[in-house]
Amino acid sequence: AETLACLIYVPVDVIKERIQVQHSTDSFQYKGGWDALVKISKTEGLRGIYKGYGATLASFGPFSALYFVFYEKFKLWSRIYLQQRSAPSDEQVVLPFPWIVLSSASAGAVASFVTSPLDMAKLRLQIQRGAQSGGENATSYRGVVDALTAAWQGGGYRGLFRGAGARVLHFVPATTVTMTSYETCRGFFQKSLE
């Protein structure tokens, strides 16, 4: 599913990020999303539009996997904690809404922080312009490993995790809203079908 979603997501992300990092002094300016799509297609072809596709899969795949592992683990720990605080019974504790929020927010924070270097490499690949485009940003990374190596050489751990806080701030609300909505709907439909 992630592979197919990225067929749409990556071009949108490339355009968004190129527009975000352009400077008024750049010789190559985008007037908006459509203009960026046309110019990137003409100067860099399909490769320019899908720049960082592999890196996107390399960052989103591990993020999703880690997110769900952490989410289930945090829910389990929450149930154990609540079970220990309540009277012993054989009945499994149903997590109250605030605990679902806490579990999903925590899982989003940890997974997004841990995968932040992969996202940074993806970003570097997506915003680089081909030498033929005439942009001032003509840095060429050969792939994810090259982008990660450059980040490491440029700042060690700080270079690898630059922007990690912003990534966490982006994913915590997104994962929290998604999973609490899912859990709420699931609970509603389970009760409806009983």
Side-chain angles (χ1 to χ4, degrees):
E2 198 76 55
T3 305
L4 291 175
C6 284
L7 289 174
I8 295 169
Y9 177 76
V10 170
V12 171
D13 208 31
V14 167
I15 291 165
K16 173 189 70 95
E17 290 166 353
R18 296 259 186 116
I19 290 171
Q20 286 176 330
V21 300
Q22 75 180 352
H23 301 284
S24 59
T25 57
D26 286 348
S27 60
F28 213 72
Q29 288 288 307
Y30 303 119
K31 296 177 188 126
W34 186 255
D35 184 52
L37 176 65
V38 170
K39 285 180 179 174
I40 294 168
S41 296
K42 283 182 182 176
T43 59
E44 300 174 51
L46 202 55
R47 290 179 68 112
I49 293 296
Y50 282 97
K51 194 164 278 188
Y53 180 81
T56 302
L57 292 177
S59 71
F60 283 2
F63 169 80
S64 296
L66 288 172
Y67 174 79
F68 284 107
V69 166
F70 288 127
Y71 179 62
E72 291 301 323
K73 191 55 101 172
F74 288 141
K75 285 192 332 184
L76 175 66
W77 290 339
S78 297
R79 277 194 192 94
I80 291 169
Y81 175 76
L82 292 172
Q83 187 77 40
Q84 290 172 347
R85 289 187 62 212
S86 66
S89 81
D90 291 337
E91 197 172 304
Q92 187 174 0
V93 173
V94 175
L95 278 182
F97 184 78
W99 289 88
I100 293 171
V101 170
L102 181 64
S103 296
S104 59
S106 300
V110 174
S112 60
F113 182 80
V114 169
T115 58
S116 191
L118 293 171
D119 188 64
M120 181 271 312
K122 171 194 74 86
L123 174 67
R124 286 184 176 201
L125 288 166
Q126 286 180 331
I127 64 170
Q128 72 183 357
R129 295 182 180 140
Q132 70 274 23
S133 71
E136 269 85 85
N137 181 10
T139 305
S140 274
Y141 299 105
R142 292 181 303 278
V144 175
V145 174
D146 189 39
L148 289 170
T149 302
W152 174 260
Q153 290 171 343
Y157 287 111
R158 278 194 159 163
L160 286 174
F161 286 92
R162 184 172 291 124
R167 180 171 161 80
V168 168
L169 289 174
H170 167 79
F171 275 103
V172 166
T175 56
T176 302
V177 168
T178 300
M179 291 313 291
T180 54
S181 298
Y182 166 76
E183 294 287 0
T184 301
C185 289
R186 187 176 76 142
F188 172 78
F189 287 115
Q190 272 183 330
K191 286 179 185 175
S192 298
L193 295 174
E194 289 175 352

